[in-house]
Structures are given as C-alpha cells and as structure tokens.
Amino acid sequence: MTALNERKVAVVGCGFVGSASAFALMESGLFSEMVLIDVNKEKAEGEALDISHGLPFAKPMQIYAGDYKDAGDAAVVVVTAGAGQKPGETRLDLVKKNVSIFKSIIPEIAKYNTEGILLIVANPVDILTYAAAKLSGFPENRVFGSGTVLDTARFKYLLGEHLSVDSRSVHAFIIGEHGDSEIAAWSSANVSGIPIHDFCEMRGHFEHEKAMKEIAENVKNSAYGIIEKKGATYYGIAMSVRRICEAIIRDEKSILPISSIQHGENGIDDVALSMPAIVGRKGVEGLVPIRLSDKEKEQLKASADTLKKVLDDAL
Ligand code: 6V0
C-alpha cells in the first residue's frame, strides 16, 4: 500500500475535459504534483508540457504524463476517459462504450491506488460512478461523480442573469440524473434565504411558471446547444472538477450535488444519482435532505428508475 501524497492529483483521460480540468487544477494551486494519463500517451505528454508552460505565472508544481503506477499515491484520481456525446446523442447513448473503457481503467487504478478518492466525470456519469464503485471495490464514500455540480452551476448562472444578481448568492440545486431526467429543485431554491418567487417579484418578474419552465429546459439542454455549436463542453466541467477537488483537499465539508450510490433515501436504492452531499477529505460525508415537493420527489424517483433500467442493461 502506497502512502498518499495529499498534494497530488491524477487525471485519467486527456481529451477536452481532462485537459481543461488539468489546466483549471494547475491554476487552483491546490496540488504540487499532477500526473496525466491517457491511452494516447503523446496527447498526455503534449498537454503536460503545454500546461507546464503556464507555471511561471502560477504556483510551482510537477506536471507530467505517466501511467497508472504513477497514480498510486494520488489523493484524488479524476476519471474523464471515454467517448463524448456527438451532436444529437444523449449521455445514456454512451453507456456501452464507456462502461467497457471503465472495465479496463478502474481495476488498473485500484491495483496501485487503494486509499485515494475516485472522482468520475466521464458520461453517463451516474452509471459510470456506480460501475466505478463496483469495479474498484473502494468504500462508497471514496467513489463519486461530478453529477449535477455542472448543471447546478448552469442553473445558478441562468438564475443570476434572470434576476440580475451574483450567481453565488443563488442557492438552488439540480438533482437526479446528470442528463435528460434531471430535476430543478425549485421548492428549496432561494436567493440569500429569500424564497425564489419572492425574489423574482422583487426584481419585477411575475410569470413564475413560464420562467421556471424556460430556465429548467435551458439548463437541461445547455450541453446539446454547446455541442451543436463547438463540438464539446469542457470549461464549465473543468471549473466543477476544480471546485470538487477544493472541497476534498481543503476538507471544506461543502455541500455539492455530487453523484453517489443511494441507500433508501427518498425511496431510491442501489443506483447512483445526484443529491446535495457534504464533501470533504473523506469524500462523501453524508447526504443533505433538502426539502422537496411531492412532485419533485416523484420526478426524482422517475429519474432513478430511468437510471436503474440503464444499469440493469449495462452491467
Ligand atoms: P475526448 O476529447 O474524446 O477525450 C477522451 C479522452 O479519453 C481521449 O484523450 C482518449 O484518448 C481517452 N481515452 C479513451 N479511452 C481511454 C482508455 N481506455 N484509457 C485512457 N484514456 C482513454 O472527450 P471529452 O474530453 O470531450 O469528454 C470526456 C468525457 O467527459 C465524455 O464521456 C463526456 O461525455 C464527459 N463529460 C462529462 C461532463 C460532466 O458534467 N460530467 C461534462 C462534459 C463532458
């Protein structure tokens, strides 16, 4: 068993998402060592060099391309390897390809690293988080997915724009699948403690139903729109990866909607999906039971059922 280096991160998969995440992590100053791993070693080497050349403007660290052995002492292993969505494809369409890639990657990681945290980013992230937990044999608190952290950021951004207020003062979650069945948890949404509808009215917006529908649809379809225009999404997820790593490494116990295996909460069992959770150095330290309306609970259950069907077919 290799002792962990608390200041080391490994990024597996150096495509758009992996390289953007590596760049964001370099800038974060959270780590002093980062290994990049990709089946295409040259790509990993190229990214490591390119990102290293920014170091004189950031904080010193070692960045290099390596293999799974080099990830043995990483405190966090970020897994972005896998095919991305093509225009028109859903995240669930990626299941077969990416589960098969995970069957080769995860046991390799777990062979050398037994103590670190596995942060799953590749899609469909909920299915792959479940698969990674089973394939690694790690305790479940140490295997979780970026889940709806990105969708929640999109939600806050859009609400911030709609209400002309700093998106960081918006408290609202997207929960469930990171994908088409996700749910905007409106009933608990607020701006600095003021219920969302009250704040909307303060800002001169009174057509709540219409605005809620438009904003939730916009969040859900964001990735499709970006992929249509530029072929992939990566900056938003890179910042999400950075934020999650920050919560872990600094033991912040921040509440983030990561994807983890559920055990009976809201009547959902043995499937990974996103609910707000406390994230710290031990990984997932507990779920936060935010208030949900009966309709939101039903939608969450339906989201879990969708994922469960895919899981049953995929694993
Ligand atoms: P990409 O640019 O095709 O990069 C994928 C990388 O993985 C490539 O460099 C491949 O060489 C590498 N790879 C493939 N197989 C292996 C393997 N067996 N071992 C090691 N490396 C391998 O895709 P992109 O970076 O755009 O997307 C990566 C994944 O992230 C996809 O599944 C996306 O759908 C997913 N995203 C997840 C998001 C989230 O919110 N969770 C957001 C955006 C994309």
Side-chain angles (χ1 to χ4, degrees), residues 15-17 38-39 80-84 98 101 121 123 146 150 178 233 237:
F16 290 118
V17 173
D38 198 290
V39 66
T80 79
N98 289 352
I101 289 176
V121 179
N123 272 322
S146 57
L150 172 59
H178 167 60
T233 75
I237 183 62

Side-chain angles (χ1 to χ4, degrees), residues 151-161 165-168 170-173 219:
D151 317 64
T152 295
R154 288 172 173 153
F155 192 31
K156 290 184 182 188
Y157 165 74
L158 289 172
L159 281 168
E161 289 293 294
V165 70
D166 184 345
S167 55
R168 295 172 304 177
V170 177
H171 302 284
F173 290 105
V219 171

Side-chain angles (χ1 to χ4, degrees), residues 25-46:
L25 291 172
M26 178 275 268
E27 275 217 296
S28 74
L30 284 168
F31 298 101
S32 55
E33 194 173 336
M34 173 158 62
V35 57
L36 304 184
I37 300 169
D38 198 290
V39 66
N40 178 350
K41 185 94 188 265
E42 288 219 321
K43 175 84 164 88
E45 285 169 357

Side-chain angles (χ1 to χ4, degrees), residues 82-84 86 89 93-102 128:
K86 305 222 163 51
E89 255 187 338
D93 289 334
L94 302 173
V95 173
K96 289 236 148 48
K97 279 184 248 179
N98 289 352
V99 165
S100 130
I101 289 176
F102 265 46
L128 295 180

Side-chain angles (χ1 to χ4, degrees), residues 20-270:
S21 298
F23 179 67
L25 291 172
M26 178 275 268
E27 275 217 296
S28 74
L30 284 168
F31 298 101
S32 55
E33 194 173 336
M34 173 158 62
V35 57
L36 304 184
I37 300 169
D38 198 290
V39 66
N40 178 350
K41 185 94 188 265
E42 288 219 321
K43 175 84 164 88
E45 285 169 357
E47 296 297 351
L49 280 173
D50 196 6
I51 295 170
S52 298
H53 296 164
L55 284 172
F57 310 110
K59 295 203 170 69
M61 69 184 289
Q62 298 298 317
I63 304 174
Y64 55 93
D67 53 31
Y68 291 101
K69 203 159 183 241
D70 298 304
D73 58 347
V76 184
V77 181
V78 182
V79 188
T80 79
Q85 286 164 269
K86 305 222 163 51
E89 255 187 338
T90 70
R91 294 180 181 88
L92 293 181
D93 289 334
L94 302 173
V95 173
K96 289 236 148 48
K97 279 184 248 179
N98 289 352
V99 165
S100 130
I101 289 176
F102 265 46
K103 283 185 177 159
S104 69
I105 290 178
I106 302 294
E108 280 298 298
I109 298 172
K111 187 156 99 189
Y112 297 104
N113 187 324
T114 51
E115 300 295 317
I117 286 181
L118 284 183
L119 172 57
I120 308 304
V121 179
N123 272 322
V125 70
D126 303 294
I127 304 294
L128 295 180
T129 297
Y130 186 94
K134 301 295 165 192
L135 290 164
S136 64
F138 282 15
E140 287 177 14
N141 59 303
R142 286 202 279 116
V143 187
F144 54 96
S146 57
T148 53
V149 172
L150 172 59
D151 317 64
T152 295
R154 288 172 173 153
F155 192 31
K156 290 184 182 188
Y157 165 74
L158 289 172
L159 281 168
E161 289 293 294
H162 181 65
L163 299 171
S164 284
V165 70
D166 184 345
S167 55
R168 295 172 304 177
S169 301
V170 177
H171 302 284
F173 290 105
I174 299 287
I175 56 172
E177 179 200 353
H178 167 60
D180 297 340
S181 68
E182 68 187 27
I183 299 112
W186 289 108
S187 61
S188 61
N190 68 82
V191 180
S192 290
I194 301 177
I196 196 80
H197 288 178
D198 295 351
F199 199 89
C200 285
E201 291 177 12
M202 266 172 59
R203 300 303 244 181
H205 297 293
F206 297 90
E207 292 196 51
H208 303 313
E209 289 303 321
K210 183 167 170 278
M212 281 160 55
K213 192 160 179 279
E214 273 174 18
I215 290 171
E217 284 298 309
N218 196 342
V219 171
K220 194 184 299 183
N221 295 323
S222 286
Y224 292 117
I226 299 169
I227 291 168
E228 208 63 60
K229 288 180 197 294
K230 59 174 269 190
T233 75
Y234 37 93
Y235 295 123
I237 183 62
M239 289 301 282
S240 308
V241 167
R242 172 188 164 148
R243 178 70 193 96
I244 298 167
C245 286
E246 184 180 52
I248 297 169
I249 292 301
R250 291 169 43 80
D251 196 21
E252 289 182 349
K253 303 187 193 309
S254 303
I255 297 176
L256 298 169
I258 49 78
S259 179
S260 64
I261 299 181
Q262 307 288 298
H263 291 288
E265 299 85 1
N266 297 294
I268 296 168
D269 199 44
D270 203 31

